[in-house]
Amino acid sequence: MTTINVGLLGLGTVGSGVAKIIIEEANLLTQKLGFSLKLAKVCARNLSASRAYNPPADLLTTDPMDIVGNPDIPIVVELMGGLEPARTLVLKALSSGQHVVTANKALLATHGQEIFQKALETSRELKFEAAVAGAIPIIRVLKEGLTANRIQSVFGILNGTTNHILTRMTQDGLTFQAALAEAQEFGYAEADPTNDVEGFDAAHKLTLLTALAYGSLPKVADFHVEGITKLEPEDFAAAAEFGYVIKLLAISTVDQDGRLEIRLHPTMLPKGSLMAEVNGVMNAVMVRGEASGDIFLSGAGAGMMPTASAVMGDIVETARDLRSGSAPQVPALGWRNAQTLAVKSQDDVRLAYFLRFTVIDKPGVLAAISGILGSHNISIARVVQKDHDPKRGGVVVVILTHEAREKDLLTALAEAAKLDSLTAPTRLIRVEKLV
Ligand code: HSE
């Protein structure tokens, strides 16, 4: 029976999970494939590290070049993470005629142009299902199932750590710091949680979904990325009162002028909507296709076995294509002729906004604020005044606006900040009604 060799670069959490499935589920895989997959070599930095799963010692090496460029290993799985040496090794593997599976979102978001181009030039597979939303097979859905659709928009909860933190803040009133400490204790959040809580991890994933949806790979530096570190329990309480929950939502769409509207920020979503109900470490993606309508997928966004499941899907698909002599069937991004769409400035985005002012409780204050908003074309939908907040030395006034241009809103807030009656900085959270 044919055997297809697989080489693994990286034996961290996900790498161990992949090794475990290839070895322990060999029979199941053979039953499904009609041929066998063999773990031929595993490259690990530290051979004696303690791991959730230890592959046989004779498979281990510390030299990636035992795998990259090895003519006996047609499929290279990159699970090292980081930019280098991952970039160099992936490019080398493709140039050597090997097919590549990776889970490295930072690598593809940063060096995607070069890597996707190399895969096209060399006619090799470059699969990355595990790079976005863990176990959810969203890459395959966009590349294949929905391929005949004009994609209208993509929405996602793409980071499990932050979704867990926001869920605890919503349901149990925790502060950000307390919820983060708990996530670290549970092992969800890294010791340095910056990449997750400042939104970069989710932003990397959003660039990849955007490239698959519209054929244009944006740079994270070109769009608005805002994390969850400034959110306070008062925001969640006020959101609940207005019938909303707060999620770190990734959004991309193409506007009427063909510009890419892409952004990632804390977002108020109507309670009861599908996205609003995605809690804990779960991820979710909603794709709106012109022909398909709305497709909603949810599942585990991180973790050893859910992520390994996605990596295995790519390995199996590549092995099947190899076996039939037809790899690669679909270009890495699902587009043979990619395009470059201009990214719409965040200033031009039109949304409804939730504003939390802290003010001295005296006559004329509300009139001053609403006057400033009105003079910048911002119409108020709802206002609620809360009790005196001793922490901030004022009363809290929460305003929900109708849709407005972001530049006008920010200009109005800058003007309002000069009012003597404001006792603390005003907080702004964007509102999305669509999902
Ligand atoms: N740290 C990520 C998360 C998983 O919490 O979702 C890997 O991207």
Side-chain angles (χ1 to χ4, degrees):
M1 195 200 308
T2 310
T3 297
I4 293 188
N5 285 335
V6 176
L8 195 54
L9 301 173
L11 194 54
T13 308
V14 180
S16 307
V18 170
K20 180 175 158 75
I21 294 180
I22 297 182
I23 291 172
E24 293 189 350
E25 298 295 358
N27 286 342
L28 174 78
L29 289 165
T30 304
Q31 277 179 306
K32 291 196 174 183
L33 297 174
F35 58 88
S36 55
L37 285 178
K38 184 173 160 216
L39 191 60
K41 234 356 143 218
V42 180
C43 176
R45 231 184 335 225
N46 177 358
L47 296 185
S48 55
S50 100
R51 301 187 165 92
Y53 177 78
N54 289 300
D58 62 332
L59 298 185
L60 300 184
T61 175
T62 52
D63 182 2
M65 300 316 285
D66 285 345
I67 294 169
V68 174
N70 182 335
D72 295 331
I73 302 180
I75 303 178
V76 175
V77 183
E78 185 279 306
L79 299 173
M80 317 167 81
L83 299 184
E84 284 293 357
R87 170 185 157 272
T88 303
L89 293 171
V90 164
L91 291 171
K92 246 185 206 147
L94 293 169
S95 299
S96 315
Q98 293 169 302
H99 300 280
V100 173
V101 172
T102 178
N104 194 334
K105 60 229 90 180
L107 175 68
L108 296 178
T110 312
H111 296 296
Q113 300 288 8
E114 183 185 23
I115 293 171
F116 291 125
Q117 187 56 34
K118 178 66 80 182
L120 266 184
E121 274 167 28
T122 54
S123 291
R124 299 295 104 174
E125 301 268 20
L126 175 73
K127 292 190 181 285
F128 55 97
E129 186 66 75
V132 182
I136 306 174
I138 183 62
I139 307 292
R140 203 161 272 109
V141 166
L142 280 166
K143 262 168 71 170
E144 296 174 34
L146 298 181
T147 193
N149 279 263
R150 282 183 188 278
I151 303 298
Q152 295 173 328
S153 41
V154 177
F155 300 92
I157 291 175
L158 302 178
N159 184 272
T161 304
T162 46
N163 202 43
H164 177 78
I165 292 171
L166 295 180
T167 302
R168 293 287 280 144
M169 294 179 80
T170 302
Q171 294 181 350
D172 306 293
L174 264 61
T175 62
F176 168 74
Q177 286 305 340
L180 171 62
E182 185 191 83
Q184 283 170 323
E185 202 178 300
F186 289 168
Y188 300 144
E190 312 271 342
D192 177 0
T194 311
N195 214 27
D196 289 326
V197 298
E198 296 296 355
F200 300 122
D201 173 77
H204 288 147
K205 295 167 180 168
L206 177 60
T207 65
L208 296 175
L209 291 182
T210 299
L212 288 151
Y214 315 110
S216 176
L217 179 66
K219 290 255 175 252
V220 168
D222 291 343
F223 60 92
H224 183 75
V225 176
E226 182 182 324
I228 62 166
T229 55
K230 295 200 180 80
L231 294 170
E232 297 179 299
E234 292 83 347
D235 293 318
F236 293 82
E241 212 171 306
F242 280 56
Y244 289 98
V245 295
I246 302 172
K247 293 289 180 193
L248 182 61
L249 194 70
I251 301 152
S252 77
T253 185
V254 175
D255 74 6
Q256 286 167 337
D257 302 323
R259 290 177 301 176
L260 191 58
E261 180 173 326
I262 173 167
R263 47 199 167 83
L264 179 117
H265 46 70
T267 305
M268 299 210 336
L269 299 171
K271 202 168 163 35
S273 62
L274 284 173
M275 278 289 172
E277 301 304 319
V278 176
N279 287 319
V281 288
M282 298 295 270
N283 281 197
V285 183
M286 196 189 93
V287 181
R288 182 161 296 158
E290 194 168 300
S292 65
D294 289 352
I295 308 285
F296 182 85
L297 292 113
S298 176
M304 174 173 167
M305 298 318 287
T307 312
S309 158
V311 173
M312 285 308 303
D314 283 350
I315 295 174
V316 162
E317 201 175 68
T318 305
R320 279 183 172 138
D321 287 353
L322 262 173
R323 174 107 163 102
S324 68
S326 62
Q329 288 197 342
V330 188
L333 284 176
W335 294 67
R336 211 157 271 286
N337 301 314
Q339 49 184 343
T340 304
L341 298 175
V343 176
K344 180 175 186 169
S345 159
Q346 184 66 21
D347 280 350
D348 293 335
V349 166
R350 288 187 67 82
L351 288 171
Y353 297 84
F354 162 98
L355 307 171
R356 180 160 59 84
F357 295 91
T358 313
V359 296
I360 297 168
D361 197 3
K362 64 174 190 190
V365 172
L366 201 51
I369 292 173
S370 61
I372 291 172
L373 291 175
S375 72
H376 289 279
N377 249 337
I378 293 145
S379 170
I380 294 171
R382 289 171 71 184
V383 184
V384 171
Q385 178 166 326
K386 319 281 284 180
D387 294 336
H388 187 261
D389 178 350
K391 206 165 72 186
R392 292 181 182 72
V395 290
V396 172
V397 174
V398 180
I399 292 181
L400 195 62
T401 74
H402 285 297
E403 229 176 62
R405 183 169 169 254
E406 182 139 332
K407 173 80 178 165
D408 294 339
L409 194 276
L410 295 179
T411 309
L413 289 188
E415 199 173 319
K418 294 183 194 140
L419 294 172
D420 290 338
S421 45
L422 259 63
T423 63
T426 300
R427 296 285 302 131
L428 165 169
I429 302 175
R430 296 169 183 83
V431 179
E432 198 71 55
K433 300 197 179 99
L434 300 173
V435 275

